[in-house]
Amino acid sequence: MDACNHGDVASATWHSWHSIQWPAGHGVVRRLQTRIAKAARECDWRKVKRLQKLLTRSTSSKAVAVRRVTENQGRKTPGVDGATWSTPDAKWRAVCSLHARHYRPQPLRRVHIPKANGGKRPLGIPTMRDRAMQALYLLALEPVAETTADSNSYGFRPERSTVDAIEQCFNALRRKDSAQWILEGDIKGCFDNIAHDWMLRRIPIDRAVLRKWLKAGYVEKGRLFPTEAGTPQGGIISPTLANMVLDGLEPVLATRFKRQHKVHFVRYADDFVVTGRSQELLEREVIPVIENFLAERGLRLSPSKTKITHIADGFDFLGWNVRKYGNKLLIKPAKGNEKQLYRKVRDILRKLRMAKQEDVIRLLNPLLRGWGNYHSSQTSSRAFAKMDHRIFGGLQRWVKRRHPTKNKRWLKRRYYSSAPNRDWVFASGMEALVRLSDFKIRRHVKIKAEANPFDPTWDEYFEIRLGWKMRRTLAGRRKLSWLWTKQDGRCPQCRQPITNKSGWHLHHKVWRCHGGSDKLSNLELVHENCHRQKHSLGRKHARPPVS
């Protein structure tokens, strides 16, 4: 048996990256995660620890961890060592090198990214090996985190999103007799100030490895700085660690306050809202309870961002404005979010003053589609029409700047076309700019609070939700929708679900260079890594060109 192949039977025949049998590997990981979640529900922490050790030593888990960090958006961003795993050989060597014994993480590379309020957020970038080790231990920690998490925590958790959080706000505030006062909470420097001692005592993970991550330090401008508190923002495991630190606040509030107090809690990462019957209740009773809870973990509320508002005045949460007009609760895109979108559109138009029209459309469409899809579950029709009008004005100025001597009729013929029930379509050939008003408003069905993706009893529920989400995503793309349905929503290579997060590639069963066509019978949807694996294995048995 190869030196790398130990820990599970599924990996016994693997000898390279493209020889990995992903269905078997994912099956091993899934079964162990299910057993960990069950042990956590039964509070059998000794068994949890034993199963976690088994999972982190499994070659299947190591392969899944390496695949995760080499397929995400940051795969091309190196750490302090400048290394990226871009080849199959490098990935296979990485699988063989993931061992806890003698493991010593390297410092993080510190960069600063802009925040919405104009400030900058520090971000630590680990090396690829440290990312893979974090992904490996995350596979063992996530089943515990999901089993013990607060019911109404929605940030950085599988199968949950901002839309679920805002729907819970709607449920808590929509009735005539619902709470009228809202505490908007924000934790000051959450990721940077969490007490290390608390995490080492309470987080159910290998303490030696966790301590090494927490004390690794960071490098900025060529200098090494130690880390005495916090979990580095940028590591793949950091959001889960932060969630586990904050979990427990909802049960504390539920125990402390009775139903007549109308206290409801909704959290997304370190941003949360708490409803209450009165302003005095929130100020004198709720805030002290939250402050005591956070103080134990080395955290405190941000005075500048924590405030109490009446529902008639409304509040902003996750890019939406929640406000009651009389007895009717409406959730709309926040004004700041609208300004942020238009600022991005304006910046793109300024940078592309002399670019081709199709280049402008190609850059604007993903931005507009993302914003439209994000807000399409709420009362956004007026905001969509308003943004269309502002974007149209920006495009008019962009066109006029290029041709200051041409009249309006000439500009319309050059840059615009007509469509059924619509004129002035900014289009070039077959490419047309997305119009936000074309997005249909469709209500989102909130995830059930107790749903756990690591509990087999919820498998059917999550499959139904995945089908519902993907049908909405692929609406209007008949070819992709038909293929996804035919494949039962799974990649034929690794048998894992094809989702928005995982992405997909179109694969030709008979390659086009060998005469393959674009007919549906010759196509299948696969993951990016699975696509590369198919082509790598296919080259060894390549069909001769059609004569």
Side-chain angles (χ1 to χ4, degrees):
M1 185 180 297
D2 190 282
C4 181
N5 294 327
H6 61 83
D8 56 70
V9 177
S11 64
T13 60
W14 301 350
H15 54 82
S16 67
W17 180 253
H18 286 314
S19 70
I20 296 175
Q21 299 298 313
W22 291 108
H26 282 290
V28 169
V29 174
R30 174 67 180 178
R31 287 191 293 272
L32 285 171
Q33 287 181 320
T34 300
R35 293 172 64 189
I36 292 171
K38 181 181 178 183
R41 282 197 307 275
E42 297 169 352
C43 296
D44 189 348
W45 300 110
R46 181 175 294 179
K47 187 175 182 180
V48 166
K49 186 176 181 180
R50 179 170 57 83
L51 291 170
Q52 285 181 327
K53 185 178 292 186
L54 187 63
L55 188 148
T56 54
R57 293 180 178 180
S58 161
T59 305
S60 293
S61 302
K62 295 174 183 178
V64 171
V66 171
R67 178 174 178 175
R68 179 169 181 176
V69 300
T70 54
E71 289 187 5
N72 60 19
Q73 291 183 346
R75 63 186 181 274
K76 296 181 180 179
T77 305
V80 293
D81 61 353
T84 57
W85 298 335
S86 56
T87 65
D89 288 341
K91 295 174 186 178
W92 178 245
R93 287 194 300 269
V95 172
C96 298
S97 69
L98 294 185
H99 304 293
R101 182 177 296 180
H102 307 306
Y103 167 64
R104 189 177 185 84
Q106 293 183 265
L108 297 99
R109 181 166 68 89
R110 174 66 66 91
V111 297
H112 295 270
I113 57 175
K115 296 169 64 175
N117 61 6
K120 289 190 175 182
R121 185 192 307 276
L123 190 68
I125 302 175
T127 63
M128 290 298 294
R129 185 164 187 261
D130 292 336
R131 278 179 245 178
M133 284 293 288
Q134 289 188 18
L136 176 62
Y137 279 84
L138 179 60
L139 291 173
L141 182 62
E142 208 166 33
V144 181
E146 284 299 301
T147 304
T148 59
D150 289 351
S151 299
N152 289 306
S153 162
Y154 297 96
F156 303 110
R157 293 180 60 188
E159 309 299 335
R160 298 185 181 226
S161 66
T162 54
V163 195
D164 293 306
I166 203 67
E167 285 295 329
Q168 180 60 25
C169 290
F170 181 80
N171 292 340
L173 297 167
R174 63 180 177 178
R175 298 181 182 86
K176 290 182 180 180
D177 59 345
S178 295
Q180 298 294 304
W181 292 90
I182 298 92
L183 167 67
E184 303 172 59
D186 183 89
I187 301 169
K188 186 173 183 178
C190 179
F191 282 86
D192 298 328
N193 297 310
I194 301 172
H196 285 177
D197 290 343
W198 192 96
M199 282 193 285
L200 291 170
R201 289 197 313 268
R202 301 295 184 87
I203 303 294
I205 194 175
D206 188 313
R207 291 181 184 177
V209 174
L210 178 58
R211 182 180 287 106
K212 290 177 182 178
W213 287 333
L214 296 177
K215 303 297 184 182
Y218 63 91
V219 173
E220 185 173 12
K221 296 181 180 179
R223 292 181 58 194
L224 175 64
F225 296 87
T227 49
E228 301 299 334
T231 174
Q233 191 168 353
I236 194 171
I237 201 173
S238 297
T240 301
L241 293 175
N243 268 337
M244 296 189 76
V245 170
L246 298 176
D247 282 335
L249 180 53
E250 185 176 4
V252 167
L253 293 173
T255 303
R256 174 67 176 78
F257 300 100
K258 297 180 181 179
R259 186 173 182 178
Q260 58 265 31
H261 293 122
K262 301 180 181 178
V263 173
H264 296 279
F265 176 83
V266 183
R267 178 170 67 84
Y268 188 91
D270 58 339
D271 294 325
F272 62 87
V273 295
V274 183
T275 66
R277 182 181 58 190
S278 66
Q279 184 176 5
E280 291 75 21
L281 174 73
L282 294 174
E283 286 178 347
R284 299 177 183 178
E285 299 186 47
V286 173
I287 288 182
V289 170
I290 295 174
E291 287 177 336
N292 290 336
F293 177 89
L294 295 177
E296 295 177 7
R297 293 150 174 80
L299 301 172
R300 61 192 182 94
L301 292 173
S302 171
S304 60
K305 296 182 181 178
T306 301
K307 53 186 177 179
I308 298 173
T309 54
H310 193 272
I311 190 62
D313 298 324
F315 64 96
D316 291 348
F317 187 53
L318 303 176
W320 284 287
N321 178 260
V322 184
R323 184 178 175 184
K324 233 174 190 176
Y325 299 82
N327 289 323
K328 189 174 183 62
L329 182 72
L330 295 181
I331 301 177
K332 307 175 182 179
K335 299 294 184 184
N337 201 258
E338 293 178 5
K339 291 179 181 178
Q340 189 178 13
L341 171 68
Y342 184 70
R343 193 180 303 118
K344 290 180 179 178
V345 172
R346 184 190 60 197
D347 290 344
I348 289 174
L349 293 177
R350 284 178 177 175
K351 290 178 182 177
L352 301 181
R353 287 189 182 96
M354 303 308 295
K356 295 179 180 179
Q357 184 182 9
E358 50 264 33
D359 293 335
V360 174
I361 294 173
R362 190 180 66 251
L363 283 177
L364 287 179
N365 273 350
L367 177 65
L368 298 179
R369 283 197 190 99
W371 200 83
N373 284 323
Y374 186 82
H375 291 291
S376 63
S377 63
Q378 306 304 323
T379 313
S380 306
S381 297
R382 287 189 178 181
F384 286 168
K386 175 184 173 183
M387 293 309 301
D388 280 338
H389 176 73
R390 295 189 68 184
I391 292 169
F392 178 78
L395 292 172
Q396 286 285 75
R397 288 189 291 274
W398 181 83
V399 168
K400 191 67 178 175
R401 186 188 298 117
R402 294 164 69 90
H403 307 282
T405 61
K406 299 296 183 180
N407 59 36
K408 187 175 181 180
R409 184 176 300 175
W410 186 93
L411 294 174
K412 182 178 180 181
R413 286 199 307 267
R414 172 65 177 80
Y415 289 99
Y416 296 89
S417 62
S418 299
N421 302 320
R422 183 184 169 194
D423 204 358
W424 292 87
V425 179
F426 191 75
S428 174
M430 299 298 293
E431 291 288 331
L433 189 70
V434 168
R435 189 173 71 157
L436 292 171
S437 300
D438 291 336
F439 284 85
K440 295 181 180 179
I441 305 301
R442 294 176 291 188
R443 298 298 299 185
H444 176 79
V445 180
K446 190 186 82 69
I447 190 172
K448 293 184 178 180
E450 64 275 15
N452 185 344
F454 298 102
D455 185 346
T457 58
W458 290 96
D459 284 352
E460 183 179 359
Y461 172 78
F462 282 112
E463 286 185 9
I464 293 172
R465 280 186 68 83
L466 175 60
W468 171 71
K469 289 179 181 178
M470 289 300 292
R471 279 192 292 272
R472 291 183 62 172
T473 298
L474 300 176
R477 292 185 275 183
R478 296 177 60 185
K479 180 184 289 187
L480 295 178
S481 180
W482 188 89
L483 288 171
W484 190 89
T485 304
K486 180 188 175 185
Q487 297 172 194
D488 293 326
R490 294 184 177 272
C491 171
Q493 184 76 356
C494 67
R495 300 307 303 162
Q496 293 303 297
I498 294 176
T499 65
N500 282 332
K501 188 175 181 179
S502 71
W504 59 82
H505 279 196
L506 264 178
H507 172 66
H508 292 76
K509 298 175 185 177
V510 178
W511 299 358
R512 281 179 290 187
C513 63
H514 295 156
S517 69
D518 289 331
K519 292 182 179 179
L520 286 173
S521 58
N522 191 46
L523 296 174
E524 56 186 4
L525 286 178
V526 295
H527 293 126
E528 180 182 358
N529 182 75
C530 296
H531 198 193
R532 287 196 294 265
Q533 187 179 40
K534 276 179 170 288
H535 278 263
S536 175
L537 298 175
R539 289 190 190 97
K540 298 177 182 178
H541 311 287
R543 293 178 49 173
V546 178
S547 59

